[in-house]
Amino acid sequence: MRGSELAQRQGIPRLVQRLKRAMGPAGIFLRGMIEHPRMVGAIMPSSPQTIRAMLEPVEWDKCKLFVEYGPGVGTFTLPVLERLPRDGELVVIDTNPLFIDYLRKTITDSRFHAVLGSAEDVEDVVASLGHEKADCVLSGLPFSTLPEGVGPAIAEATARVLRKGGCFMTYQYSSVARDLTARYFPRLDSERIWANLPPNLLVWGWRD
Ligand SMILES: C[S@@+](CC[C@H](N)C(=O)[O-])C[C@H]1O[C@@H](n2cnc3c(N)ncnc32)[C@H](O)[C@@H]1O
């Protein structure tokens, strides 16, 4: 092979690597979305306004175990770690190895655990960390496009795993997550956030 051909061959993967690095988490999110559009179900990560409003009602001093479903590239993960007490733990569950690998590589906080799997198995995940119950569960799952039956199974398992007074939090463009939450959590709060692309609906389901 001629020198110029070899340089050209080596140059292309290097260019791809450089582009990926330059795009950072946005590039990883875009790749996840292109590869699994129905599982990701979003065009952009959540806005800072969504994150602030969603996490605002959490009683952080009582939060020993926080669970996040579908963290993607961790848009909520770092803000949760910033608010979590020193003896608290955060476990994220995502079906996409691309996102889980990225989070494991970039977050070194000892309170953080990243699990590759489905949110349907939240009870096993919580037990594997030595906890009986979770204090809060936050979901970034695209309930409207999940395979048949998966959404209700997740909502039901969430109602079982939350302690009394615990909260199930969802943010979605449509009202599917709110309707599903209402089946298992009789007490709901909700708020529409317009500063998000597209605007989304935040719902808090309280476990009485
Ligand atoms: C809309 S993206 C999350 C966006 C991110 N949390 C944010 O705020 O920008 C949805 C995520 O749910 C994950 N997901 C889909 N089905 C899942 C399941 N059954 N269990 C856990 N994660 C799942 C996808 O891999 C993806 O990371």
Side-chain angles (χ1 to χ4, degrees), residues 87-119:
D87 59 347
E89 285 176 282
L90 164 63
V91 59
V92 302
I93 309 173
D94 204 297
T95 45
N96 192 330
L98 181 70
F99 294 146
I100 291 295
D101 283 352
Y102 174 77
L103 294 173
R104 283 184 183 151
K105 277 187 197 135
T106 52
I107 301 180
T108 53
D109 192 311
S110 60
R111 299 168 300 166
F112 176 70
H113 312 275
V115 173
L116 177 63
S118 173

Short mmCIF file of all heavy atoms in Angstrom, two decimals, residues 87-119:
data_model
loop_
_atom_site.label_atom_id
_atom_site.label_comp_id
_atom_site.label_asym_id
_atom_site.label_seq_id
_atom_site.Cartn_x
_atom_site.Cartn_y
_atom_site.Cartn_z
N ASP A 87 -24.40 10.57 52.32
CA ASP A 87 -24.61 9.14 52.53
C ASP A 87 -25.72 8.59 51.62
O ASP A 87 -26.18 7.48 51.82
CB ASP A 87 -24.95 8.86 54.00
CG ASP A 87 -26.22 9.59 54.44
OD1 ASP A 87 -26.67 10.50 53.70
OD2 ASP A 87 -26.76 9.26 55.51
N GLY A 88 -26.13 9.37 50.63
CA GLY A 88 -27.14 8.89 49.68
C GLY A 88 -26.50 8.11 48.54
O GLY A 88 -25.27 8.14 48.37
N GLU A 89 -27.33 7.39 47.80
CA GLU A 89 -26.83 6.67 46.62
C GLU A 89 -27.75 6.94 45.44
O GLU A 89 -28.97 7.10 45.62
CB GLU A 89 -26.80 5.17 46.88
CG GLU A 89 -25.65 4.74 47.78
CD GLU A 89 -25.72 3.24 48.08
OE1 GLU A 89 -26.55 2.87 48.93
OE2 GLU A 89 -24.98 2.49 47.46
N LEU A 90 -27.16 6.93 44.25
CA LEU A 90 -27.94 7.11 43.02
C LEU A 90 -27.67 5.90 42.13
O LEU A 90 -26.51 5.58 41.84
CB LEU A 90 -27.51 8.38 42.29
CG LEU A 90 -27.93 8.51 40.82
CD1 LEU A 90 -29.45 8.55 40.68
CD2 LEU A 90 -27.33 9.77 40.20
N VAL A 91 -28.75 5.22 41.72
CA VAL A 91 -28.57 4.14 40.75
C VAL A 91 -29.35 4.49 39.49
O VAL A 91 -30.51 4.88 39.56
CB VAL A 91 -28.96 2.75 41.33
CG1 VAL A 91 -30.39 2.68 41.78
CG2 VAL A 91 -28.68 1.66 40.31
N VAL A 92 -28.66 4.39 38.35
CA VAL A 92 -29.33 4.65 37.07
C VAL A 92 -29.44 3.32 36.32
O VAL A 92 -28.56 2.47 36.41
CB VAL A 92 -28.58 5.69 36.20
CG1 VAL A 92 -28.44 7.01 36.94
CG2 VAL A 92 -27.22 5.19 35.75
N ILE A 93 -30.57 3.16 35.60
CA ILE A 93 -30.82 1.92 34.86
C ILE A 93 -31.13 2.31 33.41
O ILE A 93 -32.04 3.11 33.17
CB ILE A 93 -32.02 1.14 35.43
CG1 ILE A 93 -31.89 0.95 36.94
CG2 ILE A 93 -32.19 -0.21 34.74
CD1 ILE A 93 -33.13 0.33 37.61
N ASP A 94 -30.38 1.76 32.47
CA ASP A 94 -30.65 2.06 31.06
C ASP A 94 -30.39 0.80 30.23
O ASP A 94 -29.47 0.04 30.52
CB ASP A 94 -29.76 3.21 30.56
CG ASP A 94 -30.37 3.93 29.36
OD1 ASP A 94 -30.54 3.28 28.30
OD2 ASP A 94 -30.69 5.13 29.48
N THR A 95 -31.20 0.61 29.19
CA THR A 95 -31.07 -0.58 28.33
C THR A 95 -29.96 -0.40 27.29
O THR A 95 -29.59 -1.36 26.63
CB THR A 95 -32.39 -0.84 27.58
OG1 THR A 95 -32.86 0.41 27.06
CG2 THR A 95 -33.43 -1.47 28.46
N ASN A 96 -29.46 0.83 27.13
CA ASN A 96 -28.50 1.08 26.04
C ASN A 96 -27.06 1.06 26.56
O ASN A 96 -26.66 1.93 27.33
CB ASN A 96 -28.83 2.45 25.41
CG ASN A 96 -28.10 2.66 24.11
OD1 ASN A 96 -26.99 2.13 23.92
ND2 ASN A 96 -28.69 3.39 23.21
N PRO A 97 -26.24 0.07 26.11
CA PRO A 97 -24.86 -0.03 26.60
C PRO A 97 -24.01 1.19 26.26
O PRO A 97 -23.08 1.52 27.00
CB PRO A 97 -24.31 -1.29 25.92
CG PRO A 97 -25.31 -1.71 24.91
CD PRO A 97 -26.59 -1.01 25.17
N LEU A 98 -24.36 1.85 25.17
CA LEU A 98 -23.61 3.06 24.78
C LEU A 98 -23.69 4.11 25.89
O LEU A 98 -22.69 4.71 26.29
CB LEU A 98 -24.24 3.61 23.49
CG LEU A 98 -23.63 4.84 22.86
CD1 LEU A 98 -22.26 4.52 22.28
CD2 LEU A 98 -24.55 5.39 21.77
N PHE A 99 -24.91 4.32 26.42
CA PHE A 99 -25.11 5.32 27.47
C PHE A 99 -24.48 4.86 28.79
O PHE A 99 -23.85 5.65 29.50
CB PHE A 99 -26.61 5.61 27.68
CG PHE A 99 -27.27 6.25 26.49
CD1 PHE A 99 -28.59 5.97 26.16
CD2 PHE A 99 -26.58 7.15 25.69
CE1 PHE A 99 -29.20 6.57 25.06
CE2 PHE A 99 -27.19 7.76 24.59
CZ PHE A 99 -28.50 7.46 24.28
N ILE A 100 -24.68 3.58 29.14
CA ILE A 100 -24.14 3.08 30.42
C ILE A 100 -22.61 3.15 30.41
O ILE A 100 -22.00 3.61 31.38
CB ILE A 100 -24.67 1.65 30.71
CG1 ILE A 100 -26.18 1.70 31.02
CG2 ILE A 100 -23.91 0.98 31.85
CD1 ILE A 100 -26.55 2.46 32.30
N ASP A 101 -21.98 2.76 29.30
CA ASP A 101 -20.51 2.84 29.21
C ASP A 101 -20.05 4.28 29.38
O ASP A 101 -19.09 4.56 30.09
CB ASP A 101 -20.01 2.36 27.83
CG ASP A 101 -20.04 0.85 27.73
OD1 ASP A 101 -20.29 0.20 28.76
OD2 ASP A 101 -19.84 0.34 26.61
N TYR A 102 -20.75 5.19 28.69
CA TYR A 102 -20.37 6.61 28.75
C TYR A 102 -20.46 7.13 30.20
O TYR A 102 -19.55 7.79 30.68
CB TYR A 102 -21.29 7.41 27.82
CG TYR A 102 -21.07 8.90 27.93
CD1 TYR A 102 -19.97 9.50 27.33
CD2 TYR A 102 -21.95 9.69 28.66
CE1 TYR A 102 -19.74 10.86 27.47
CE2 TYR A 102 -21.74 11.05 28.80
CZ TYR A 102 -20.64 11.63 28.19
OH TYR A 102 -20.42 12.98 28.35
N LEU A 103 -21.55 6.78 30.89
CA LEU A 103 -21.72 7.27 32.27
C LEU A 103 -20.68 6.67 33.20
O LEU A 103 -20.12 7.36 34.06
CB LEU A 103 -23.14 6.96 32.77
CG LEU A 103 -24.26 7.70 32.03
CD1 LEU A 103 -25.63 7.21 32.49
CD2 LEU A 103 -24.16 9.20 32.24
N ARG A 104 -20.40 5.36 33.02
CA ARG A 104 -19.39 4.72 33.89
C ARG A 104 -18.02 5.36 33.69
O ARG A 104 -17.24 5.47 34.61
CB ARG A 104 -19.31 3.22 33.57
CG ARG A 104 -20.47 2.44 34.18
CD ARG A 104 -20.30 0.96 33.92
NE ARG A 104 -21.43 0.21 34.44
CZ ARG A 104 -21.87 -0.93 33.94
NH1 ARG A 104 -21.26 -1.49 32.90
NH2 ARG A 104 -22.89 -1.55 34.49
N LYS A 105 -17.73 5.76 32.44
CA LYS A 105 -16.41 6.35 32.17
C LYS A 105 -16.32 7.78 32.69
O LYS A 105 -15.25 8.23 33.08
CB LYS A 105 -16.16 6.37 30.65
CG LYS A 105 -15.65 5.05 30.15
CD LYS A 105 -15.24 5.13 28.70
CE LYS A 105 -15.13 3.74 28.13
NZ LYS A 105 -15.74 3.60 26.83
N THR A 106 -17.43 8.51 32.67
CA THR A 106 -17.33 9.94 32.96
C THR A 106 -17.71 10.32 34.40
O THR A 106 -17.38 11.40 34.86
CB THR A 106 -18.20 10.77 31.99
OG1 THR A 106 -19.53 10.22 32.01
CG2 THR A 106 -17.66 10.74 30.59
N ILE A 107 -18.43 9.42 35.13
CA ILE A 107 -18.84 9.78 36.51
C ILE A 107 -18.10 8.88 37.49
O ILE A 107 -18.29 7.66 37.48
CB ILE A 107 -20.37 9.65 36.69
CG1 ILE A 107 -21.06 10.59 35.68
CG2 ILE A 107 -20.78 10.01 38.12
CD1 ILE A 107 -22.56 10.57 35.74
N THR A 108 -17.28 9.50 38.34
CA THR A 108 -16.45 8.69 39.24
C THR A 108 -16.92 8.77 40.69
O THR A 108 -16.30 8.21 41.58
CB THR A 108 -14.98 9.15 39.15
OG1 THR A 108 -14.98 10.56 39.39
CG2 THR A 108 -14.36 8.86 37.80
N ASP A 109 -18.03 9.46 40.95
CA ASP A 109 -18.58 9.63 42.31
C ASP A 109 -18.90 8.25 42.92
O ASP A 109 -19.57 7.44 42.28
CB ASP A 109 -19.86 10.47 42.17
CG ASP A 109 -20.38 10.97 43.50
OD1 ASP A 109 -20.49 10.16 44.43
OD2 ASP A 109 -20.68 12.16 43.59
N SER A 110 -18.42 8.00 44.16
CA SER A 110 -18.61 6.67 44.76
C SER A 110 -20.07 6.39 45.12
O SER A 110 -20.44 5.25 45.39
CB SER A 110 -17.72 6.52 45.99
OG SER A 110 -18.10 7.51 46.92
N ARG A 111 -20.92 7.41 45.13
CA ARG A 111 -22.36 7.20 45.43
C ARG A 111 -23.13 6.75 44.19
O ARG A 111 -24.33 6.48 44.26
CB ARG A 111 -22.97 8.51 45.94
CG ARG A 111 -22.35 9.04 47.21
CD ARG A 111 -22.81 10.47 47.48
NE ARG A 111 -22.45 11.35 46.38
CZ ARG A 111 -22.93 12.58 46.20
NH1 ARG A 111 -23.80 13.07 47.04
NH2 ARG A 111 -22.55 13.31 45.16
N PHE A 112 -22.45 6.70 43.05
CA PHE A 112 -23.12 6.47 41.76
C PHE A 112 -22.97 5.02 41.28
O PHE A 112 -21.88 4.47 41.30
CB PHE A 112 -22.51 7.42 40.72
CG PHE A 112 -23.03 7.22 39.34
CD1 PHE A 112 -24.33 7.56 39.01
CD2 PHE A 112 -22.22 6.68 38.34
CE1 PHE A 112 -24.82 7.38 37.72
CE2 PHE A 112 -22.69 6.49 37.06
CZ PHE A 112 -23.99 6.85 36.75
N HIS A 113 -24.10 4.42 40.84
CA HIS A 113 -24.08 3.06 40.28
C HIS A 113 -24.82 3.10 38.94
O HIS A 113 -25.91 3.67 38.87
CB HIS A 113 -24.81 2.08 41.18
CG HIS A 113 -24.41 2.18 42.62
ND1 HIS A 113 -23.32 1.53 43.16
CD2 HIS A 113 -24.95 2.89 43.65
CE1 HIS A 113 -23.21 1.83 44.45
NE2 HIS A 113 -24.20 2.65 44.76
N ALA A 114 -24.24 2.49 37.92
CA ALA A 114 -24.90 2.46 36.60
C ALA A 114 -25.18 1.01 36.25
O ALA A 114 -24.27 0.18 36.25
CB ALA A 114 -24.00 3.10 35.56
N VAL A 115 -26.44 0.70 35.97
CA VAL A 115 -26.84 -0.69 35.69
C VAL A 115 -27.37 -0.78 34.26
O VAL A 115 -28.26 -0.01 33.87
CB VAL A 115 -27.94 -1.14 36.69
CG1 VAL A 115 -28.49 -2.51 36.32
CG2 VAL A 115 -27.38 -1.15 38.11
N LEU A 116 -26.82 -1.75 33.52
CA LEU A 116 -27.33 -2.02 32.17
C LEU A 116 -28.50 -2.99 32.31
O LEU A 116 -28.30 -4.13 32.75
CB LEU A 116 -26.21 -2.63 31.32
CG LEU A 116 -26.59 -3.03 29.91
CD1 LEU A 116 -27.02 -1.83 29.07
CD2 LEU A 116 -25.44 -3.77 29.23
N GLY A 117 -29.69 -2.55 31.99
CA GLY A 117 -30.86 -3.43 32.14
C GLY A 117 -32.13 -2.62 31.96
O GLY A 117 -32.08 -1.45 31.59
N SER A 118 -33.25 -3.29 32.23
CA SER A 118 -34.54 -2.61 32.04
C SER A 118 -35.11 -2.16 33.39
O SER A 118 -34.98 -2.86 34.40
CB SER A 118 -35.53 -3.56 31.38
OG SER A 118 -36.80 -2.94 31.35
N ALA A 119 -35.79 -1.03 33.36
CA ALA A 119 -36.42 -0.49 34.56
C ALA A 119 -37.47 -1.45 35.13
O ALA A 119 -37.82 -1.35 36.30
CB ALA A 119 -37.08 0.85 34.23
#
